[in-house]
Amino acid sequence: MHATRRTGLTRAASCALMAGALVALSGAAYAADPLVKACAKDGEFVIGFSQANNAEPYRQHVNDELTAAAKAVPQFTLQIADGAGNVNTQTSQVDNFITQKVDLLLISPFEAAPLTPAVQRAMKAGIPVIELDRKTVGDPGKDYTAFIGGDNYKIALEAGKYTADKLLPDGGQVAVLEGLPSSTPAVERLNGFKDGVKGNSKIEVVAEQAADWLPDKAQTAFAAMLQAHPDIKMVYASNDMMAAGARLAAKGAGKEGQIKIIGTDGLPGPAGGIRAVAEGEWAATFTYPTGAKEAIEMAKSILLDCAPSVSPNVTVATTAITPDNAKSLMGN
């Protein structure tokens, strides 16, 4: 009898212990460790940004938007380093940020593979890494904290559909100016546009050539295209700078205003695509979002709100800049 009573007590105790363990485990599941141990609402944090190349207008646009977004958060100090289009320079800058023990690292890698080890070193040092626009090798959420950027293929697909439906509903010959062919964005934008115009069987892509994102190369390339195909009605440029070069080529051929031009990036300012559309020089441009606001919001979640995790992939939508909205967007 005594043995039976002891067994009953033991079972009751075991049940209580198991219940307590389950509660503890459940509480642990809801109280996961934050990504950064020193996070705090009233803390002061340094964010390092390794930019691929400040010389590119789009990259400067990213810097401007990041600076503005960070200034709105009193707890943040943003430091921007110019990678100058050199992987060795950018690698050194990332290592410097690690040595400084910045609280969070932002990076737009000039090239993926060469900068992967530097990003891995930052992650091993306990520094969250948010990649903007371009990725290093690996998986978001594991090899780096998160990626924020636009979808190059979808942006170009929208440009192709706009061409097929709005610009050339009756068809015609089309040319494409591709970016640097060794870069992923250039390939994705080329393929996206070509897939987009497939919706109109009357459209024929008669010429495509890489101009490496540069306006002078685009001007030379499109001038040659117009000589070979004088009936071209429209040109899609994979960035705003090449669209500007294409316009100069059309002007030089005596066809200014006769050829419809679409850019990509939707840059502000006097040399940007928004103004060019607003003033009737181009038919449209499609924004490639900087992801700056989203990056700072994610940094707030990590550093101020002590988030245990963040979305590993954030895709920022494009905006079509057309004659309908360009003037209203010039001041934005």
Side-chain angles (χ1 to χ4, degrees), residues 41-322:
K41 283 283 187 187
D42 57 352
E44 293 185 359
F45 301 98
V46 176
I47 298 173
F49 177 43
S50 178
Q51 176 61 283
N53 187 3
N54 283 356
E56 298 175 27
Y58 173 77
R59 301 283 159 199
Q60 191 57 57
H61 180 44
V62 173
N63 292 353
D64 292 343
E65 291 206 341
L66 265 178
T67 299
K71 277 185 178 178
V73 185
Q75 299 95 322
F76 287 173
T77 298
L78 177 68
Q79 296 180 1
I80 298 177
D82 178 11
N86 185 295
V87 293
N88 294 325
T89 300
Q90 200 171 16
T91 295
S92 295
Q93 289 167 347
V94 171
D95 285 333
N96 285 338
F97 281 137
I98 296 171
T99 301
Q100 291 175 34
K101 297 183 179 179
V102 297
D103 299 290
L104 185 141
L105 176 67
L106 301 173
I107 183 171
S108 289
F110 183 67
E111 291 184 40
L115 283 156
T116 297
V119 166
Q120 291 175 343
R121 286 194 291 274
M123 290 287 285
K124 286 179 181 177
I127 300 171
V129 179
I130 300 173
E131 301 194 337
L132 288 180
D133 174 42
R134 297 175 179 177
K135 302 176 183 179
T136 53
V137 178
D139 298 321
K142 178 184 174 184
D143 298 296
Y144 48 92
T145 307
F147 169 77
I148 298 174
D151 187 320
N152 284 291
Y153 176 84
K154 286 186 178 179
I155 289 168
L157 186 73
E158 290 300 315
K161 289 179 177 178
Y162 186 78
T163 300
D165 299 338
K166 302 291 185 182
L167 295 187
L168 299 177
D170 297 326
Q173 294 186 354
V174 170
V176 180
L177 290 166
E178 186 188 3
L180 187 69
S182 62
S183 66
T184 303
V187 176
E188 291 173 345
R189 291 181 186 183
L190 172 67
N191 293 336
F193 178 80
K194 290 169 70 176
D195 286 348
V197 296
K198 285 179 182 177
N200 186 337
S201 60
K202 297 177 184 177
I203 289 178
E204 182 185 7
V205 178
V206 295
E208 55 185 80
Q209 186 171 331
D212 302 347
W213 311 115
L214 302 172
D216 54 343
K217 286 191 175 183
Q219 182 177 355
T220 301
F222 192 50
M225 288 176 177
L226 288 175
Q227 286 186 338
H229 305 279
D231 294 329
I232 286 175
K233 291 185 177 181
M234 180 268 171
V235 57
Y236 170 68
S238 295
N239 75 344
D240 280 359
M241 294 175 69
M242 292 191 297
R247 177 175 173 264
L248 291 175
K251 186 176 181 180
K255 295 187 176 185
E256 186 178 15
Q258 299 175 35
I259 296 171
K260 300 180 188 300
I261 299 171
I262 289 184
T264 314
D265 283 344
L267 296 178
I274 297 176
R275 181 209 58 79
V277 176
E279 296 185 2
E281 295 175 0
W282 306 353
T285 185
F286 286 75
T287 61
Y288 185 80
T290 65
K293 293 178 182 178
E294 290 78 7
I296 296 301
E297 283 301 314
M298 186 175 285
K300 286 169 63 178
S301 295
I302 295 171
L303 299 175
L304 305 185
D305 300 335
C306 296
S309 64
V310 292
S311 177
N313 272 301
V314 177
T315 301
V316 191
T318 185
T319 299
I321 309 295
T322 69

